[in-house]
Amino acid sequence: MHRARAAAALALSAAAALGACSSGKPAIELSQVPGGTGTPVPTQTVTVTEVETQTVTATTTLVTTATVTATPTVTVTALPRPSLTSSTVFNRPVALADYTNLVSDVRLLDRMSLSGNAAALQLDLLSQHLARLGANGPPPGLDAPSYYGRLGSLGLFAAAASDEAQANSPVAQSRYAVIRQETGVLLTLVNGALKTTFALPTPPVPRPTTTTR
């Protein structure tokens, strides 16, 4: 009878252990000793091995922020220095007539008040004579770019002085002084190349300023 009770107790113990394992919370009873006196039940040892494996995948995103300062590069290409070339053959008689006209223009302008319509017309005529010289070839022996540059500058100054004289601007007188001086330099260069003797008249003596009290 005692053996029957022990067997029953062991069966209950095993059932309880299995019930606990099935519930997700393993509970292991190491021994069951029935109440009362009698022969002790041998100790029952149960080993439960539960392995839980989890796979975790970690993804790392590396973000790098860099600030780049762009320095603009400007490429400047210098244009070649223009070289003035002329296919026009120097016409000596025409050029000599125009150089004579320059001297005559200066002589007339020296006697005029550089204000009003008459002075404007004479300054415009001077610019036309300079333009005709520019259409002719350069004198032999003179640097063509330098020669044409002088004629072009003098022509622009004469045209501007004509407009200023027409507007009764006092700037016309100052501009004419520059024109007169540079025309003298031009004729000096021409004389050296052509063996001529062009010369501007003696500058007029400035009139004294009188003050009326």
Side-chain angles (χ1 to χ4, degrees):
M1 182 145 180
H2 289 289
R3 291 181 179 179
R5 290 180 180 176
L10 182 58
L12 288 174
S13 175
L18 290 176
C21 289
S22 63
S23 65
K25 297 180 181 179
I28 301 171
E29 192 68 33
L30 298 181
S31 63
Q32 290 290 339
V33 180
T37 60
T39 304
V41 178
T43 301
Q44 301 296 322
T45 301
V46 180
T47 302
V48 178
T49 301
E50 182 178 355
V51 179
E52 181 178 356
T53 304
Q54 294 182 357
T55 303
V56 179
T57 302
T59 303
T60 302
T61 303
L62 179 61
V63 180
T64 303
T65 303
T67 301
V68 179
T69 302
T71 302
T73 302
V74 179
T75 302
V76 178
T77 303
L79 296 177
R81 182 178 181 270
S83 57
L84 280 175
T85 57
S86 174
S87 58
T88 305
V89 179
F90 178 69
N91 189 323
R92 184 183 178 96
V94 173
L96 293 179
D98 285 327
Y99 294 137
T100 302
N101 288 334
L102 292 184
V103 175
S104 178
D105 292 336
V106 170
R107 181 179 293 108
L108 291 173
L109 288 168
D110 283 347
R111 300 173 183 174
M112 300 173 66
S113 172
L114 297 181
S115 178
N117 188 57
L121 289 176
Q122 189 60 48
L123 286 166
D124 183 67
L125 187 60
L126 173 61
S127 69
Q128 293 179 33
H129 292 154
L130 290 166
R132 278 210 308 240
L133 282 169
N136 198 350
L142 289 184
D143 179 65
S146 177
Y147 177 76
Y148 286 125
R150 285 182 179 277
L151 290 177
S153 297
L154 283 170
L156 290 175
F157 263 59
S162 176
D163 293 338
E164 291 160 355
Q166 185 68 44
N168 297 323
S169 171
V171 180
Q173 182 66 48
S174 301
R175 194 181 298 275
Y176 172 68
V178 177
I179 294 172
R180 195 183 198 284
Q181 178 180 348
E182 292 303 318
T183 301
V185 175
L186 174 67
L187 292 178
T188 299
L189 295 174
V190 170
N191 289 337
L194 302 179
K195 307 302 180 185
T196 51
T197 57
F198 292 108
L200 296 181
T202 303
V205 179
R207 297 178 181 178
T209 303
T210 57
T211 304
T212 304
R213 296 182 180 180

